[in-house]
Amino acid sequence: METAQRKIDFHRLVRDAPMINHICFDACSKTVKIVYSSTVPLAHTTLDCTRISSGESEDRIYCIQVQYPDFPLLLKFFGENCPLLKGTTVDFVVTASQNAEIEEEILKALDVTLRHVDAFNGLVYGTSFLLRNIEAESFTFSFDESQQYEFQTLNTESMYPYLLINIRTGVSVVLVEGERQFKRLGGSSIGGGSFLGLSEIITGVSDIEEMMDRALQGSPDEFDIFIRDIYGDRASNFNMDPHLLAASFGRVTRGETVRRPEEFNEQSKNNAILSLLRMILYNVSQLAYMLSEISNVKRVFFNGFLVRNRPIVMKTLSFACNYWSAGKLRAYFLRHENYTTGLGAFLENLPSSDMYWKEYCSGSTALGRFVPVEPLETGFKTQTFALKCQRFKAAPFSLLVEKDGKPDTIDFNNDDEARNFWIEILDKTITDMTKFAIASQKNYPEQAAVVDRAKEFETDFVKTMDTIKEHHVAYGNSNARNLLEVREQILQEKGFDDIYVQKKHEENCTAIAELPRVLALIDELKQRGDEKHVFEYVCRGLLAGNVFDWGAKEVVKMMNSENGLSFHSAIEHVEQRPWLFDGFESFYEKHKEYKSVLIFVDNSGFDYILGIIPFARELLRNGSKVIICANSSPALNDLTYREMVKWAPELKEADEDLAKFIDSEQMMFVQSGQESPCLDARRVHQDLNDTVEKYQTDLVVIEGMGRALHTNFNVQFKVDSLKAAVIKTQWLADRLGGKMFSVVFKHEYGVNE
């Protein structure tokens, strides 16, 4: 095998090399795709501002690809830097004619045993794995001039059955009815190989990227015959679109064009390639439609090297599927389809493949999500794609009405103003975030390393925001939820797992000391006999607690001011009723009827201890079971499940009623599976679903701007819900028709399916 002479920094390309423990090779016609896993030890930030080993680890999967000339160098790197691979069994997908040579190279460079994996098994399992785990993995592409991406997040209940159309050398059509249930329905010999071969014979062009570039500059009029050319003005008499293709290359038989390829000028080459591409894709689409009708399937995924997120290919397939099916069938594509076969083959022998694996943004290159950051007219080469194992099983929240519905209130992909506002806000906070990161580990012995890691975070996050500014679909969805989560991931990648841990602890201590006084005041008000007034006061306290948010610029100014921000002053900032969205009356009328209440909590400190806890205590006193749900991992100053459990004994000491409720498990704690200031209920911890179903939850309370306004504001649940938050940004206040510190207290009845 020819070896490349150029120098490649494999230490940057290959992450976690010393910890790589399993690997799979997928050899294709021009590239080799490598999927490997590693187990990475984790460290955590401590209350005394240093960083120590947590005693825990994280499983990760990385997908990379190299050209054939680079492959021997990569194998050499693996052999020298990956000691855990020695003596193991590695997986090998059989797909290319060079297999024997490649196998020999692997055995020569690595002391391993090869295990062959069936390509079709890998293709199907890899596709289903991505659809089950990765947000916005599936997308459609418009066939008009807008070239719009529309992303979907699917779940196992809705994704099956589907057709998988693999356009490689030929075309294979597979019916997938379950994660490992599939059967080949048929195929065609006219596919990617036909396009490459005929294009080279006709035009002399041999590179697929050049072919695609030329197709974009081509016109079908030189070689193709259209309905208008046959029927003229009479086309409408037959209810036919005059612009429809009637015969690919039909003009050649009429002597209306140059017949000999050697006489083609550059434009004729462009036109010929476009006509050829359309001919093949129209036939593939017709095959897809016919087999979808036979199989009663409404969703068809196209993948393979001919597709690979090329706008001209996706546009043509989308148009043709829509045409043949009279609008019933849409063409779907995958963001990471380049790695489906290799990933699926790798997962065949991975014990944790049934766990929830999440896209690991900071472990991927700028093109890691495989939506182009180059101009949309051009092709691109994929690089690194990374995933991390959450070590729990995830599923859509069982009380969601639409399990595939988008949680985001405003779709930034279609709202330039909203997206630009958020990017600007995040840009302005980056310096403060970097300072917080450094301060959180100020007692770490190697301070220079802390500063370097913080600067790397700043640099990487700025680059990510710049990429999204230029091409907003470069990372799939770019909503508030996604942007905030990317920031948290980059912080974690740089060794800053919880930069607010000291601030949260300080506020928790202050709040727990204040709690007895707040509860005593509520009890005193109750003794005066105005039950409704007391309950409104408790709800105002819930809202006041939500004012304390280190993610809100105006509130941060107040907390950092000379006098700070007390809970009493926060209550004063809660506007008087009627509120902007005021569902208090209907909630009050029904609140005693609820038997099982789930509360998604927001911030640590005052929000949780002085806002949520007194609110929950009133519901508990009414006989309700209360389940409080917090993030599984840190994000900003949001409460985590571990912190919630840790502070439970302090709550018991503060109030005898709380002690009784906690000891009897009338009040319990559960984790959401989330690691963002927002809430995407399409993927939650299985423990949450089990708890909700066991105790037959009949009210869902979502508190905070991120969870109740930026996400879930329009989401419907099968049971009643309460969405409560104080608006702390002027931009959102303007969008919702309110003002700074306007109140959203949105009580909604459940939707019967």
Side-chain angles (χ1 to χ4, degrees):
M1 181 182 292
E2 178 188 356
T3 302
Q5 299 303 309
R6 66 181 183 276
K7 201 168 183 180
I8 299 176
D9 187 355
F10 287 112
H11 286 282
R12 288 182 62 84
L13 178 65
V14 180
R15 300 289 190 102
D16 309 331
M19 293 162 281
I20 294 176
N21 48 39
H22 185 52
I23 197 165
C24 175
F25 298 96
D26 179 14
C28 302
S29 57
K30 292 185 178 180
T31 62
V32 180
K33 291 144 188 183
I34 302 100
V35 182
Y36 65 89
S37 62
S38 60
T39 301
V40 182
L42 299 177
H44 70 87
T45 305
T46 64
L47 292 175
D48 56 355
C49 301
T50 188
R51 182 170 178 253
I52 62 173
S53 171
S54 66
E56 300 176 341
S57 61
E58 182 175 82
D59 295 328
R60 298 177 184 173
I61 294 176
Y62 294 97
C63 305
I64 62 175
Q65 70 172 14
V66 293
Q67 303 291 324
Y68 273 117
D70 301 322
F71 187 56
L73 298 175
L74 180 61
L75 285 176
K76 184 173 183 292
F77 176 85
F78 281 138
E80 294 174 349
N81 295 276
C82 307
L84 298 180
L85 285 179
K86 186 176 181 179
T88 65
T89 298
V90 303
D91 294 319
F92 187 85
V93 182
V94 183
T95 55
S97 58
Q98 303 99 318
N99 283 335
E101 185 180 358
I102 295 171
E103 289 183 37
E104 186 179 337
E105 290 277 355
I106 295 171
L107 294 173
K108 182 179 177 181
L110 308 176
D111 183 12
V112 296
T113 302
L114 283 182
R115 172 173 50 204
H116 292 114
V117 181
D118 179 74
F120 263 113
N121 283 334
L123 172 66
V124 173
Y125 188 42
T127 299
S128 294
F129 174 85
L130 288 172
L131 290 172
R132 171 167 58 87
N133 285 278
I134 306 303
E135 186 204 343
E137 177 62 34
S138 165
F139 67 90
T140 57
F141 191 78
S142 62
F143 50 84
D144 56 23
E145 296 307 313
S146 65
Q147 298 194 51
Q148 291 290 315
Y149 291 80
E150 183 182 334
F151 298 98
Q152 299 88 29
T153 299
L154 305 180
N155 68 84
T156 51
E157 295 177 16
S158 63
M159 75 169 71
Y160 302 114
Y162 65 83
L163 286 189
L164 187 55
I165 315 292
N166 195 25
I167 312 176
R168 302 184 71 162
T169 304
V171 178
S172 291
V173 182
V174 180
L175 172 63
V176 183
E177 298 177 294
E179 196 155 85
R180 298 179 186 272
Q181 296 176 270
F182 69 93
K183 60 182 177 182
R184 189 175 185 275
L185 298 184
S188 172
S189 61
I190 304 172
S194 303
F195 173 69
L196 295 178
L198 289 173
S199 290
E200 186 168 357
I201 289 174
I202 294 172
T203 67
V205 177
S206 59
D207 179 70
I208 187 171
E209 300 304 332
E210 182 182 349
M211 292 175 189
M212 293 298 170
D213 288 342
R214 285 180 173 274
L216 284 167
Q217 302 169 50
S219 168
D221 294 340
E222 181 177 356
F223 294 102
D224 296 345
I225 293 177
F226 298 89
I227 294 296
R228 65 176 183 266
D229 300 318
I230 299 174
Y231 295 106
D233 295 337
R234 295 178 296 123
S236 59
N237 296 338
F238 302 98
N239 197 28
M240 300 178 74
D241 185 338
H243 301 288
L244 286 177
L245 178 64
S248 297
F249 292 96
R251 288 191 186 278
V252 177
T253 63
R254 294 183 172 186
E256 297 177 8
T257 186
V258 177
R259 294 192 180 193
R260 297 180 180 276
E262 59 268 21
E263 298 176 14
F264 283 2
N265 59 27
E266 294 305 308
Q267 187 57 47
S268 290
K269 290 181 180 180
N270 299 344
N271 297 342
I273 290 174
L274 176 61
S275 291
L276 181 60
L277 181 63
R278 283 157 53 101
M279 179 182 75
I280 290 172
L281 294 178
Y282 284 169
N283 277 274
V284 171
S285 300
Q286 188 173 33
L287 175 66
Y289 166 63
M290 290 189 295
L291 290 175
S292 71
E293 284 287 288
I294 293 171
S295 307
N296 194 28
V297 170
K298 303 302 180 186
R299 187 177 281 121
V300 176
F301 290 97
F302 292 90
N303 72 359
F305 74 79
L306 196 63
V307 180
R308 202 101 333 138
N309 196 44
R310 295 185 171 93
I312 189 171
V313 174
M314 298 189 297
K315 178 180 177 180
T316 305
L317 289 170
S318 298
F319 167 78
C321 283
N322 181 75
Y323 172 75
W324 291 120
S325 68
K328 292 190 298 182
L329 186 69
R330 298 188 72 183
Y332 288 81
F333 308 95
L334 301 174
R335 289 197 290 124
H336 303 102
E337 60 89 12
N338 190 37
Y339 287 121
T340 48
T341 300
L343 183 59
F346 173 87
L347 293 166
E348 285 281 338
N349 299 289
L350 190 72
S352 58
S353 63
D354 62 339
M355 293 289 125
Y356 176 33
W357 287 82
K358 193 166 188 175
E359 193 167 10
Y360 191 52
C361 316
S362 60
S364 301
T365 60
L367 296 176
R369 297 190 176 190
F370 308 155
V371 175
V373 295
E374 296 298 325
L376 292 179
E377 295 80 23
T378 64
F380 59 93
K381 295 181 179 178
T382 57
Q383 297 177 48
T384 305
F385 167 46
L387 306 96
K388 65 175 182 178
C389 184
Q390 301 295 84
R391 294 191 174 175
F392 61 81
K393 292 184 179 180
F397 183 44
S398 58
L399 297 179
L400 276 178
V401 173
E402 295 183 31
K403 292 183 170 55
D404 291 338
K406 294 181 180 180
D408 308 288
T409 305
I410 301 172
D411 185 355
F412 288 8
N413 285 359
N414 298 315
D415 192 324
D416 293 346
E417 180 195 358
R419 183 177 64 254
N420 292 335
F421 169 82
W422 263 88
I423 291 175
E424 180 182 353
I425 288 294
L426 293 174
D427 279 345
K428 289 179 178 178
T429 61
I430 188 67
T431 301
D432 289 340
M433 294 291 288
T434 304
K435 290 177 181 177
F436 259 112
I438 295 171
S440 71
Q441 297 180 13
K442 64 183 180 182
N443 294 329
Y444 187 69
E446 300 174 21
Q447 266 306 288
V450 173
V451 174
D452 288 344
R453 286 189 283 110
K455 292 298 182 184
E456 287 177 8
F457 153 71
E458 185 172 353
T459 299
D460 286 1
F461 187 66
V462 168
K463 284 181 179 178
T464 301
M465 291 299 101
D466 287 344
T467 298
I468 294 173
K469 286 177 195 174
E470 187 175 358
H471 300 289
H472 64 273
V473 295
Y475 292 87
N477 285 324
S478 58
N479 296 313
R481 170 177 52 87
N482 308 98
L483 298 178
L484 291 168
E485 193 162 318
V486 167
R487 185 175 68 181
E488 293 298 325
Q489 282 197 3
I490 297 175
L491 277 169
Q492 293 166 17
E493 172 70 10
K494 303 307 176 185
F496 300 103
D497 63 304
D498 192 356
I499 66 174
Y500 288 95
V501 61
Q502 298 93 4
K503 182 65 68 176
K504 289 189 293 182
H505 181 75
E506 177 185 319
E507 291 182 357
N508 281 332
C509 289
T510 303
I512 204 73
E514 179 75 4
L515 181 61
R517 190 192 71 80
V518 172
L519 296 179
L521 177 59
I522 293 171
D523 292 343
E524 182 182 333
L525 290 173
K526 291 193 82 166
Q527 289 175 2
R528 297 176 186 174
D530 190 345
E531 183 178 316
K532 185 174 182 180
H533 173 71
V534 173
F535 194 68
E536 181 177 334
Y537 180 84
V538 170
C539 290
R540 287 176 62 82
L542 170 72
L543 295 162
N546 187 241
V547 172
F548 293 86
D549 187 351
W550 285 94
K553 179 182 175 183
E554 295 302 319
V555 175
V556 171
K557 287 182 182 178
M558 295 165 63
M559 290 193 286
N560 286 332
S561 65
E562 184 177 345
N563 296 323
L565 178 64
S566 67
F567 188 70
H568 178 71
S569 62
I571 289 181
E572 291 181 345
H573 274 93
V574 177
E575 66 180 358
Q576 297 299 316
R577 295 185 59 212
W579 293 322
L580 180 63
F581 289 86
D582 195 337
F584 175 78
E585 295 296 335
S586 64
F587 180 59
Y588 175 73
E589 288 176 8
K590 200 173 179 183
H591 78 279
K592 290 186 178 181
E593 299 177 19
Y594 297 119
K595 304 302 182 186
S596 174
V597 181
L598 172 69
I599 303 175
F600 287 99
V601 68
D602 188 12
N603 304 309
S604 193
F606 299 101
D607 189 4
Y608 172 57
I609 294 174
L610 301 184
I612 290 291
I613 292 301
F615 175 79
R617 182 171 172 256
E618 290 306 300
L619 296 173
L620 289 159
R621 283 175 160 180
N622 291 333
S624 302
K625 185 175 190 66
V626 175
I627 304 158
I628 304 181
C629 184
N631 272 9
S632 297
S633 301
L636 286 173
N637 65 318
D638 288 6
L639 184 73
T640 66
Y641 172 71
R642 287 187 179 184
E643 291 165 342
M644 185 166 59
V645 172
K646 174 186 173 182
W647 283 95
E650 304 291 334
L651 296 177
K652 291 167 61 176
E653 280 192 29
D655 181 72
E656 61 181 21
D657 279 355
L658 289 176
K660 178 183 67 176
F661 295 138
I662 292 172
D663 287 341
S664 67
E665 295 190 345
Q666 187 180 341
M667 182 165 82
M668 28 185 328
F669 310 105
V670 69
Q671 58 184 316
S672 64
Q674 306 275 303
E675 51 184 12
S676 166
C678 299
L679 171 63
D680 183 356
R682 296 172 301 181
R683 298 283 191 278
V684 300
H685 202 296
Q686 186 59 49
D687 287 354
L688 172 57
N689 277 337
D690 291 344
T691 303
V692 163
E693 291 167 12
K694 179 178 180 180
Y695 295 107
Q696 299 181 334
T697 292
D698 53 1
L699 174 68
V700 174
V701 178
I702 306 177
E703 180 246 357
M705 270 182 44
R707 292 168 180 80
L709 301 187
H710 292 306
T711 53
N712 299 297
F713 186 72
N714 298 316
V715 170
Q716 295 180 315
F717 296 93
K718 297 176 183 177
V719 299
D720 291 5
S721 63
L722 175 66
K723 300 163 186 177
V726 175
I727 302 175
K728 291 160 287 191
T729 61
Q730 187 61 54
W731 172 83
L732 185 60
D734 293 341
R735 280 294 181 104
L736 295 179
K739 58 184 184 297
M740 279 291 291
F741 298 108
S742 285
V743 167
V744 173
F745 199 84
K746 192 178 181 186
H747 181 234
E748 298 174 308
Y749 297 117
V751 176
N752 294 321
E753 293 182 291

